Amino acid sequence: MIISMRPHATKAEIDYVCERIRDFGYKVHSIEGEERVVIGVVGVGDVTACLESLEATPGVEGAVRISAPYKFVSKEFKKEHTQMRINGLEIGGDEFIVMAGPCSVESEKQIMETAEAVAAAGAKILRGGAYKPRTSPYDFQGMELDGLKLLQKAKNATGLLIITEVMSDRDVDMVADYADIMQIGARNMQNFALLKSLGRCGRPVLLKRGLSATIKELLMSAEYLVAHGNSNVLLCERGIRTFETATRNTCDISAVPVLNELSHLPVILDPSHAVGKRSLVPAISRAAVAVGADGLIVEVHPCPEKAVSDGAQSLTVPQFRAMMLELKPYINLWKESRHKEVAAAV
Amino acid sequence: MIISMRPHATKAEIDYVCERIRDFGYKVHSIEGEERVVIGVVGVGDVTACLESLEATPGVEGAVRISAPYKFVSKEFKKEHTQMRINGLEIGGDEFIVMAGPCSVESEKQIMETAEAVAAAGAKILRGGAYKPRTSPYDFQGMELDGLKLLQKAKNATGLLIITEVMSDRDVDMVADYADIMQIGARNMQNFALLKSLGRCGRPVLLKRGLSATIKELLMSAEYLVAHGNSNVLLCERGIRTFETATRNTCDISAVPVLNELSHLPVILDPSHAVGKRSLVPAISRAAVAVGADGLIVEVHPCPEKAVSDGAQSLTVPQFRAMMLELKPYINLWKESRHKEVAAAV
Amino acid sequence: MIISMRPHATKAEIDYVCERIRDFGYKVHSIEGEERVVIGVVGVGDVTACLESLEATPGVEGAVRISAPYKFVSKEFKKEHTQMRINGLEIGGDEFIVMAGPCSVESEKQIMETAEAVAAAGAKILRGGAYKPRTSPYDFQGMELDGLKLLQKAKNATGLLIITEVMSDRDVDMVADYADIMQIGARNMQNFALLKSLGRCGRPVLLKRGLSATIKELLMSAEYLVAHGNSNVLLCERGIRTFETATRNTCDISAVPVLNELSHLPVILDPSHAVGKRSLVPAISRAAVAVGADGLIVEVHPCPEKAVSDGAQSLTVPQFRAMMLELKPYINLWKESRHKEVAAAV
Amino acid sequence: MIISMRPHATKAEIDYVCERIRDFGYKVHSIEGEERVVIGVVGVGDVTACLESLEATPGVEGAVRISAPYKFVSKEFKKEHTQMRINGLEIGGDEFIVMAGPCSVESEKQIMETAEAVAAAGAKILRGGAYKPRTSPYDFQGMELDGLKLLQKAKNATGLLIITEVMSDRDVDMVADYADIMQIGARNMQNFALLKSLGRCGRPVLLKRGLSATIKELLMSAEYLVAHGNSNVLLCERGIRTFETATRNTCDISAVPVLNELSHLPVILDPSHAVGKRSLVPAISRAAVAVGADGLIVEVHPCPEKAVSDGAQSLTVPQFRAMMLELKPYINLWKESRHKEVAAAV
């Protein structure tokens, strides 16, 4: 921590701040500048409490944390990129993983058709919401348990793994009975009760970045999962909210390499929510491969214009098939560079 | 709804869109412009489903909803400003209500001291968190049930009502045993499971605007509460996330008159979270009174530099007392204009 | 400055950084933390160059400036709030100043009518654009010199001072012949060629905050004006761009007290551009007085629906008159607190 | 245009609105919905003036433009992607163009060294600022004319074309004597005086997107250039300002395919400013190729830690060389898909 005092802080104020720092068990390094005193704080202790306390102390202008607030999810904690084996499928390794499927599970016909089509095109995991977070209370809220059962049926028929969203800590056990990967939606990224439950659920979790969450906050939410017992966490960039309205959200493509610098966890990109418009999804998917993501999660619907939700951003089956073909040479380049990285690390 | 077709949409595409609209039970008004066809959709039906479906239909460029997506919370539904009587205290009427207290309940001494001080200075409601949403899993997470009990003790001693946050639908019943007003934190504004539970809890709810929630989304979350049975909803502006870093958040002061135009629900302003810096709180509080809010929720701590959370934005007791005195003439002007409005409405 | 090194920076890297710092003429204070080395930089020198250089040096994780990057506009440089006498009118003193008028000068009739009406209602300065920054090349670009002449005519008839925008350093001399206050529009806040010319123009300048400019950047642009010779600068908050679309911009009301803490320059609030909707202007104007601004700049048009620009946010003359009456008691409170501040400062 | 009336607008208000619309030369299509009247406006005329006028008319809730506000830059105006031949080099065609060089021209040695190195690595255009927009008046403001002359020397030695920024309409002629492409910086995207001068300058222009400019506003500024005589415009995405602070700006990668859908103009991506951190530049550059940009503009410096500006985001020469090699297979895929597009268009 670095504490900067106000330009005309009194000696008494500075002394009191130093005393408070020592109360927290830290050592003090005071630097007298031309305009003000700056205090370096060194040691191990309860950083947040100390920081908040000092910020509230008379004479203090600001307090800045230098070390990262997360630990288990950091690259410092674990150098190698995390590879996760989920029911036989490896994520974070040398396969680029595509998850695909409809926004919502709507009917047996819809989910079975989609599952077969996306599996044939090369997807390894089926997405589909049984519990749906909807802005309006009057919109379709999901098929719930019936939806979970349909997902299982699709899994049995195709061998695809299942990823589906859980919205309340009450539903964690039930969803865990059906899902291979539990999804935390963007609006729940800081639903801490849910994070704690999912920390204990024994299933891998895909954690979507909140609409206005910083990358650091995303990592802190991941840290909640790990600190409560779950180290199988996939991070997901799905667009952030900005002033731009040409796209549904703004795809923060740089989040992928930034996360790769800060954390060892795999990163998945969701082009569908990031842009909200079907025609842009293939270009963003190519960019996701090129930028070094570990996989994609894409919305596909057999008939988007009849989808109960997110139709505008869902690919049709032929569009998804064409995109998968187009991605192939990009994925080959991706694999080459993965191999080089691994070789370099040896 | 207004559907605009792409400039060179074919006749077949236009006909198909019109057919789809009629399938949803609406009437069609087609307008041929110089460049494109625009279709007006009239009637009553499932607007969201129709809108999403049309946006996903070939030849469609965009679909815009004209009518508001919320109903019970709207000024169209109820003209008069809602006045809510909560255990003898009226909110939304001709008293400007101040809620005050610490960020977290920390100890009996702390909460009793604060309660007595803020009551003496004119606050009517005591705030204090027993369940704390914290960015880091390693930070203090609240005293939970013990904290609720301390709040009750403070209530018994001072006659202040209690407002406190609930973070999970699991805890709703327990918190409702102690709180006069249930608070939904900014990060949970779109925790729909929680909104549904609080719709059924039988207690008034203060709903904080999410960090990047639009005013319309805030009203939609309020609509969830009302649609699930709870019409005692207080809206709370507490700052939004923008690029500016001089303040913790950006206080969207215009949200108050905008909400007053769109909705009949009372609006409370939280200057502490909006700006995040103690020295700015009095100025923003004056602005809140002048702009027409129904009340304030302010952080006060007997010793902010020893607070476990939010110390930098908490007023000391003498600062709160001074602010309440300073607000008095502004509140008098506020009352005058309230009386004029009521008189005008009669 | 504080330089934080990467967690595993080598001794050679740290030594090289220290050497570079000394090359810039600074002293070095190195602090060894648990995880990394942090280096305090003390002295007087070219901070930006040193900072940028260090950020680019191997082993460095980040470099943070502690002292403010502006000087002449800061409260440290000058404690007392700046009072500016402009052709007999004092701004920044104990009068709350209202500037009012149309977005654009459109015709003699329009500007004369408006000038007389706003003067009668208590405005002291007439606003009106002769050069108009318009998003589209096909929109009305202003009456230019003819517009300036009409403003002068209105000034002669009413005694109001004139504020008008200048858009290019080429036009500075001509506009200075007619304007009492030169306005820099939001889109030109970082048009550094224009700032330099206005630094030398000998007229007071009202500097509007850019749509996405931080408060610090606003002060840096003001510093340009002062550093090039012009210390008569009025700062203007006019709303910033955020994700919220219910208002044209988001009025950053906290910018007023923040600027009052950081700078001695007067602060004017523009409620018309901040919200973009006529019905919200009176509430935001009350807030501006209460929050401690030095004045307002408001759009007023005799017939907004026939205005060539900004009609939706312009008050009619009767609305402006009503607002000025309504503001009176708030301005009285404002005066009282100004007197107390001045008394306290003595 | 679509005008929506307030829910309880009177018949007189509606009639008056229709009359106003007809005054502007448009036809009226009125649609009576359940809650309100919506009016479709059809024809050709001064859309902005009509829109602003109607928004300001009593009884009107909102007015929305359906057709795009730009014309010459739109895909509707010109279907084929624009290919621009600049002194023998084709941009927008089947070569992916890399522009590279230092932020500022600093010395003969620096610019000559960089020019030779980037040319050898495959860049075709040399970037380098002679006029520098700097946030602080105390920072290095560029070598001006001397810098331009050094650029010319580097051009003569290497055959690279020159791109350099112009900051004031006063300097346009002089800069045009040396530059092959004139650059408009992000802060000047809506400096309309400069846009008009550059419309008449006879040189191609690279127009950088403003920090908080929407894609539509970028296209409107491009429209200024074309409307004033210059159809050789390159659009440049260089990151937008958001709440995220892990990167200098947020790279809006989707802007590339969005611009390709809306406009025929070539799109260049600036990864250096978009992310502000050297280590992220290669990943974003790969994404730029994959997403379909026409080229890159990248900062390269022989010794970034001694650069007078932007050192942290500048690649060293060996890093640039490595990146160019790494980009090669991506550029090959890019060429293949360009050929397919051209073949499909024939």
Side-chain angles (χ1 to χ4, degrees):
Chain A
M1 270 170 291
I2 298 290
I3 314 301
S4 41
M5 303 297 298
R6 289 185 192 280
H8 304 290
T10 64
K11 191 173 173 307
E13 285 172 339
I14 297 166
D15 289 348
Y16 182 68
V17 167
C18 294
E19 193 191 312
R20 292 285 299 146
I21 294 171
R22 289 192 199 100
D23 286 354
F24 276 94
Y26 289 103
K27 280 189 204 141
V28 166
H29 287 256
S30 174
I31 304 173
E32 277 184 49
E34 298 293 308
E35 278 182 24
R36 77 190 69 210
V37 168
V38 170
I39 301 166
V41 179
V42 174
V44 175
D46 186 342
V47 188
T48 311
C50 180
L51 207 86
E52 294 203 344
S53 163
L54 291 170
E55 275 184 329
T57 306
V60 171
E61 187 159 280
V64 176
R65 144 175 241 149
I66 301 287
S67 58
Y70 41 82
K71 191 171 126 189
F72 295 128
V73 303
S74 75
K75 204 105 186 183
E76 264 90 60
F77 182 76
K78 176 164 173 288
K79 282 258 151 328
E80 323 75 54
H81 199 61
T82 288
Q83 296 176 23
M84 215 172 284
R85 185 158 287 279
I86 307 174
N87 298 339
L89 185 72
E90 197 174 67
I91 305 189
D94 49 13
E95 289 295 325
F96 185 87
I97 299 296
V98 178
M99 318 180 181
C103 177
S104 306
V105 181
E106 297 169 13
S107 70
E108 180 165 346
K109 186 171 177 304
Q110 172 240 23
I111 198 68
M112 296 303 282
E113 249 183 73
T114 314
E116 274 151 28
V118 301
K124 298 292 182 202
I125 302 178
L126 177 67
R127 62 152 290 154
Y131 296 83
K132 296 302 306 168
R134 303 302 301 274
T135 307
S136 166
Y138 310 121
D139 290 346
F140 175 63
Q141 310 275 316
M143 292 182 74
E144 307 195 349
L145 183 55
D146 290 341
L148 295 174
K149 289 179 180 162
L150 291 177
L151 286 169
Q152 191 170 45
K153 200 161 179 181
K155 175 181 177 172
N156 293 340
T158 58
L160 292 168
L161 301 192
I162 299 298
I163 178 168
T164 196
E165 179 165 355
V166 57
M167 285 174 61
S168 163
D169 48 333
R170 268 188 216 267
D171 302 328
V172 167
D173 291 341
M174 183 156 62
V175 176
D177 284 346
Y178 296 89
D180 298 285
I181 305 176
M182 314 282 281
Q183 179 181 317
I184 301 177
R187 284 165 190 75
N188 278 322
M189 190 199 86
Q190 292 190 317
N191 179 338
F192 300 111
L194 181 60
L195 291 173
K196 288 176 187 175
S197 291
L198 285 167
R200 294 182 289 258
C201 80
R203 290 251 172 247
V205 172
L206 179 135
L207 176 66
K208 289 203 163 186
R209 180 180 182 184
L211 275 75
S212 65
T214 61
I215 288 173
K216 204 184 266 183
E217 287 168 344
L218 172 62
L219 289 172
M220 288 310 296
S221 288
E223 185 82 9
Y224 256 94
L225 293 164
V226 182
H228 285 86
N230 192 340
S231 58
N232 289 322
V233 179
L234 301 163
L235 304 171
C236 180
E237 162 64 29
R238 43 77 72 207
I240 56 173
R241 184 163 274 186
T242 71
F243 62 83
E244 178 60 71
T245 55
T247 42
R248 181 171 172 182
N249 292 293
T250 295
C251 178
D252 182 7
I253 194 87
S254 324
V256 179
V258 169
L259 286 168
N260 284 339
E261 285 191 2
L262 299 176
S263 175
H264 53 84
L265 295 171
V267 182
I268 305 297
L269 198 129
D270 174 347
S272 310
H273 286 87
V275 297
K277 207 179 156 200
R278 190 189 305 150
S279 61
L280 304 171
V281 168
I284 301 304
S285 297
R286 293 194 307 266
V289 179
V291 90
D294 291 277
L296 286 173
I297 180 164
V298 189
E299 290 191 345
V300 179
H301 195 283
C303 182
E305 71 211 62
K306 299 207 167 156
V308 298
S309 53
D310 281 356
Q313 71 194 36
S314 298
L315 297 176
T316 63
V317 167
Q319 285 168 340
F320 178 68
R321 215 181 285 135
M323 182 179 94
M324 290 297 278
L325 280 175
E326 191 197 40
L327 287 181
K328 223 172 209 176
Y330 291 91
I331 292 177
N332 287 339
L333 291 175
W334 180 95
K335 282 185 188 174
E336 276 174 43
S337 72
R338 275 283 154 119
H339 288 153
K340 272 184 221 157
E341 278 165 37
V342 173
V346 173
Chain B
M1 268 171 294
I2 298 291
I3 313 302
S4 41
M5 303 297 297
R6 289 184 192 280
H8 304 289
T10 63
K11 192 173 172 308
E13 284 172 337
I14 296 166
D15 289 349
Y16 181 68
V17 167
C18 293
E19 193 191 311
R20 291 284 298 143
I21 295 171
R22 289 191 199 99
D23 286 353
F24 276 94
Y26 290 103
K27 282 188 202 145
V28 167
H29 288 256
S30 175
I31 304 173
E32 277 184 47
E34 298 294 309
E35 279 181 23
R36 76 190 69 211
V37 168
V38 169
I39 302 167
V41 179
V42 174
V44 175
D46 186 342
V47 187
T48 311
C50 179
L51 207 85
E52 295 203 345
S53 162
L54 291 170
E55 275 184 327
T57 306
V60 170
E61 186 159 279
V64 175
R65 148 175 238 145
I66 300 287
S67 58
Y70 42 82
K71 190 170 125 190
F72 294 127
V73 303
S74 75
K75 204 105 186 184
E76 263 91 59
F77 181 75
K78 176 162 173 289
K79 282 259 151 326
E80 322 76 53
H81 199 62
T82 288
Q83 295 177 22
M84 217 172 281
R85 186 159 285 278
I86 308 173
N87 298 340
L89 185 72
E90 197 175 67
I91 304 189
D94 48 15
E95 290 296 326
F96 185 87
I97 299 297
V98 178
M99 317 181 182
C103 177
S104 306
V105 181
E106 297 168 13
S107 69
E108 179 165 347
K109 187 171 175 304
Q110 173 239 25
I111 198 68
M112 296 302 284
E113 250 182 72
T114 315
E116 273 151 30
V118 301
K124 299 291 181 204
I125 303 178
L126 178 66
R127 63 152 290 153
Y131 297 83
K132 297 302 306 169
R134 302 304 299 274
T135 307
S136 166
Y138 309 121
D139 291 346
F140 175 64
Q141 310 274 316
M143 293 181 71
E144 308 196 347
L145 182 56
D146 291 340
L148 294 175
K149 287 180 181 164
L150 291 178
L151 287 169
Q152 192 171 45
K153 198 159 179 183
K155 176 181 177 174
N156 293 341
T158 59
L160 292 168
L161 302 191
I162 298 299
I163 179 168
T164 196
E165 179 164 354
V166 56
M167 284 174 61
S168 163
D169 48 334
R170 267 189 216 267
D171 302 327
V172 166
D173 291 341
M174 183 156 62
V175 176
D177 284 346
Y178 295 89
D180 298 285
I181 305 176
M182 315 283 280
Q183 179 182 316
I184 301 177
R187 283 165 190 77
N188 278 322
M189 192 199 87
Q190 292 190 318
N191 178 338
F192 300 112
L194 182 61
L195 291 172
K196 288 176 187 175
S197 290
L198 284 168
R200 295 181 291 257
C201 79
R203 290 253 172 246
V205 173
L206 179 134
L207 175 66
K208 289 202 164 186
R209 180 179 182 185
L211 274 75
S212 64
T214 62
I215 289 174
K216 204 183 265 182
E217 287 168 343
L218 173 62
L219 289 172
M220 288 310 295
S221 287
E223 185 83 8
Y224 257 93
L225 291 164
V226 183
H228 285 86
N230 193 340
S231 57
N232 289 322
V233 179
L234 300 163
L235 304 171
C236 180
E237 162 63 28
R238 45 76 73 206
I240 56 174
R241 185 164 271 186
T242 70
F243 61 83
E244 177 60 71
T245 54
T247 42
R248 180 171 173 181
N249 293 293
T250 295
C251 177
D252 183 6
I253 194 86
S254 324
V256 178
V258 169
L259 286 168
N260 283 339
E261 285 190 3
L262 298 176
S263 174
H264 53 84
L265 294 171
V267 182
I268 305 297
L269 196 128
D270 174 347
S272 310
H273 286 86
V275 295
K277 208 180 154 198
R278 190 189 304 150
S279 62
L280 304 171
V281 168
I284 301 304
S285 297
R286 294 194 306 266
V289 179
V291 89
D294 290 278
L296 286 173
I297 180 163
V298 189
E299 289 191 346
V300 179
H301 195 284
C303 182
E305 72 212 61
K306 299 207 167 154
V308 299
S309 54
D310 280 357
Q313 71 195 35
S314 298
L315 297 177
T316 62
V317 167
Q319 285 167 339
F320 178 66
R321 216 180 285 134
M323 182 180 95
M324 290 297 279
L325 280 175
E326 192 197 41
L327 286 181
K328 223 171 210 177
Y330 291 91
I331 292 177
N332 287 338
L333 292 175
W334 181 95
K335 283 186 187 172
E336 277 174 41
S337 74
R338 274 286 153 115
H339 288 153
K340 272 185 219 156
E341 278 165 35
V342 173
V346 173
Chain C
M1 269 169 291
I2 299 291
I3 313 302
S4 40
M5 302 298 297
R6 289 184 193 280
H8 304 290
T10 63
K11 190 171 175 308
E13 284 171 340
I14 296 166
D15 289 347
Y16 182 68
V17 166
C18 293
E19 193 191 312
R20 291 285 299 145
I21 295 171
R22 289 192 199 98
D23 286 354
F24 277 94
Y26 290 103
K27 280 188 203 142
V28 166
H29 287 256
S30 174
I31 304 174
E32 276 183 50
E34 299 294 309
E35 279 182 23
R36 76 189 71 209
V37 168
V38 169
I39 302 167
V41 180
V42 173
V44 174
D46 186 342
V47 188
T48 310
C50 179
L51 207 86
E52 295 203 344
S53 163
L54 291 170
E55 274 184 328
T57 307
V60 170
E61 187 160 279
V64 175
R65 148 175 237 147
I66 301 288
S67 58
Y70 42 82
K71 190 171 126 189
F72 295 128
V73 303
S74 74
K75 204 105 187 184
E76 264 89 60
F77 181 75
K78 176 163 173 288
K79 282 257 152 326
E80 323 75 54
H81 200 62
T82 288
Q83 295 177 23
M84 216 173 283
R85 185 157 286 278
I86 307 173
N87 298 340
L89 185 72
E90 198 175 66
I91 305 190
D94 49 13
E95 289 296 325
F96 185 87
I97 300 296
V98 178
M99 317 181 182
C103 178
S104 304
V105 181
E106 297 169 12
S107 69
E108 179 165 347
K109 185 169 175 306
Q110 173 240 24
I111 198 67
M112 296 303 282
E113 247 183 73
T114 314
E116 274 152 27
V118 301
K124 298 292 182 204
I125 302 178
L126 179 66
R127 63 151 289 152
Y131 296 82
K132 297 301 307 168
R134 303 303 299 274
T135 307
S136 166
Y138 310 121
D139 290 346
F140 174 65
Q141 309 274 316
M143 293 182 72
E144 306 196 347
L145 183 56
D146 290 341
L148 294 175
K149 288 180 180 163
L150 291 178
L151 286 170
Q152 190 170 46
K153 200 161 179 181
K155 175 182 178 172
N156 293 341
T158 59
L160 291 168
L161 300 191
I162 297 299
I163 179 169
T164 196
E165 180 165 354
V166 56
M167 286 173 61
S168 163
D169 48 334
R170 268 188 215 266
D171 302 328
V172 167
D173 291 342
M174 184 155 63
V175 175
D177 285 347
Y178 295 90
D180 298 285
I181 306 176
M182 314 283 280
Q183 179 182 316
I184 301 177
R187 283 165 191 76
N188 278 321
M189 191 199 85
Q190 293 190 318
N191 178 337
F192 300 112
L194 182 60
L195 290 172
K196 289 176 187 176
S197 291
L198 283 167
R200 295 182 289 257
C201 79
R203 290 252 172 248
V205 172
L206 179 134
L207 176 65
K208 289 203 162 185
R209 181 181 182 184
L211 274 75
S212 66
T214 62
I215 288 174
K216 204 183 266 183
E217 287 168 344
L218 173 62
L219 288 173
M220 287 311 295
S221 288
E223 185 82 9
Y224 257 94
L225 292 164
V226 183
H228 285 85
N230 193 338
S231 58
N232 289 322
V233 179
L234 301 163
L235 304 171
C236 181
E237 161 63 30
R238 45 75 75 205
I240 55 174
R241 185 164 272 186
T242 70
F243 62 84
E244 178 59 72
T245 55
T247 42
R248 180 170 173 183
N249 293 293
T250 295
C251 177
D252 182 7
I253 194 86
S254 324
V256 179
V258 169
L259 286 168
N260 284 338
E261 286 190 3
L262 298 177
S263 174
H264 53 84
L265 295 171
V267 182
I268 305 297
L269 197 129
D270 174 347
S272 310
H273 286 86
V275 296
K277 208 180 154 199
R278 190 189 303 150
S279 62
L280 304 171
V281 168
I284 299 306
S285 297
R286 293 194 307 265
V289 179
V291 90
D294 291 277
L296 286 173
I297 180 163
V298 190
E299 289 191 347
V300 178
H301 195 285
C303 182
E305 71 210 62
K306 300 206 166 156
V308 297
S309 53
D310 280 357
Q313 70 194 36
S314 299
L315 297 176
T316 63
V317 167
Q319 284 167 340
F320 178 67
R321 215 181 284 135
M323 183 179 94
M324 289 297 278
L325 280 175
E326 192 197 40
L327 287 181
K328 224 173 210 175
Y330 291 91
I331 292 177
N332 287 338
L333 292 174
W334 180 94
K335 283 184 187 174
E336 275 173 44
S337 72
R338 275 285 154 117
H339 288 153
K340 272 185 221 157
E341 279 166 35
V342 173
V346 173
Chain D
M1 269 170 293
I2 298 291
I3 314 301
S4 41
M5 303 297 298
R6 289 184 192 280
H8 303 290
T10 63
K11 192 175 172 305
E13 285 172 338
I14 297 166
D15 289 349
Y16 182 69
V17 167
C18 294
E19 193 191 313
R20 292 284 299 144
I21 295 170
R22 289 191 199 99
D23 286 354
F24 277 93
Y26 290 102
K27 281 189 202 143
V28 167
H29 287 257
S30 174
I31 304 173
E32 277 185 49
E34 298 294 310
E35 279 181 23
R36 77 190 68 212
V37 168
V38 169
I39 302 167
V41 179
V42 174
V44 175
D46 185 343
V47 186
T48 310
C50 179
L51 207 85
E52 294 204 344
S53 163
L54 291 170
E55 274 185 328
T57 307
V60 170
E61 187 159 279
V64 176
R65 149 174 235 146
I66 301 287
S67 57
Y70 41 82
K71 190 170 127 189
F72 294 127
V73 303
S74 74
K75 204 105 187 184
E76 263 91 59
F77 181 75
K78 176 162 173 289
K79 282 258 150 328
E80 323 75 52
H81 200 60
T82 287
Q83 295 176 23
M84 215 173 284
R85 186 159 285 279
I86 307 174
N87 297 340
L89 184 72
E90 197 174 68
I91 305 189
D94 48 15
E95 290 295 326
F96 185 86
I97 299 297
V98 178
M99 317 182 182
C103 177
S104 305
V105 181
E106 296 169 14
S107 70
E108 179 165 347
K109 186 170 176 305
Q110 172 239 25
I111 198 68
M112 297 302 283
E113 249 183 73
T114 315
E116 272 151 30
V118 301
K124 298 292 182 204
I125 302 178
L126 177 67
R127 63 151 290 153
Y131 296 83
K132 296 302 306 170
R134 301 303 299 274
T135 307
S136 165
Y138 310 122
D139 290 346
F140 174 64
Q141 310 273 316
M143 292 182 73
E144 308 196 346
L145 182 55
D146 290 340
L148 295 175
K149 287 179 180 164
L150 291 178
L151 286 169
Q152 191 170 45
K153 199 159 179 185
K155 175 181 177 172
N156 294 341
T158 58
L160 292 168
L161 301 192
I162 297 299
I163 179 168
T164 196
E165 178 164 355
V166 56
M167 285 174 60
S168 163
D169 47 334
R170 268 188 216 265
D171 303 327
V172 167
D173 290 342
M174 184 156 62
V175 176
D177 283 347
Y178 296 88
D180 298 286
I181 305 176
M182 315 282 280
Q183 179 182 317
I184 301 178
R187 284 164 189 77
N188 278 322
M189 191 199 88
Q190 293 191 317
N191 178 339
F192 300 112
L194 182 61
L195 291 172
K196 288 177 187 174
S197 291
L198 285 167
R200 294 182 289 258
C201 79
R203 290 254 172 244
V205 173
L206 179 135
L207 176 66
K208 288 203 162 185
R209 181 180 182 185
L211 274 75
S212 65
T214 62
I215 288 174
K216 203 184 266 183
E217 287 168 344
L218 173 63
L219 289 172
M220 288 310 296
S221 287
E223 185 83 9
Y224 257 93
L225 292 164
V226 183
H228 284 85
N230 193 339
S231 57
N232 288 323
V233 179
L234 301 163
L235 304 171
C236 180
E237 161 64 28
R238 44 77 71 207
I240 56 174
R241 185 164 273 186
T242 71
F243 62 84
E244 178 60 70
T245 55
T247 42
R248 180 172 174 181
N249 293 293
T250 295
C251 177
D252 183 7
I253 194 87
S254 323
V256 179
V258 169
L259 286 168
N260 283 339
E261 285 190 3
L262 298 176
S263 175
H264 53 84
L265 295 171
V267 182
I268 305 297
L269 197 127
D270 174 347
S272 310
H273 286 86
V275 296
K277 209 180 153 197
R278 191 190 303 151
S279 62
L280 305 170
V281 168
I284 301 304
S285 297
R286 293 193 307 265
V289 179
V291 89
D294 290 277
L296 286 174
I297 180 164
V298 188
E299 289 191 344
V300 178
H301 195 283
C303 182
E305 71 212 61
K306 299 207 167 155
V308 299
S309 53
D310 280 357
Q313 71 194 35
S314 297
L315 297 177
T316 62
V317 167
Q319 286 167 339
F320 178 66
R321 216 181 283 135
M323 183 179 94
M324 290 297 280
L325 281 175
E326 192 197 41
L327 286 181
K328 223 171 210 177
Y330 292 91
I331 291 177
N332 287 338
L333 291 175
W334 180 96
K335 283 185 187 172
E336 277 174 42
S337 73
R338 275 285 154 115
H339 288 152
K340 274 186 217 154
E341 279 166 35
V342 173
V346 174

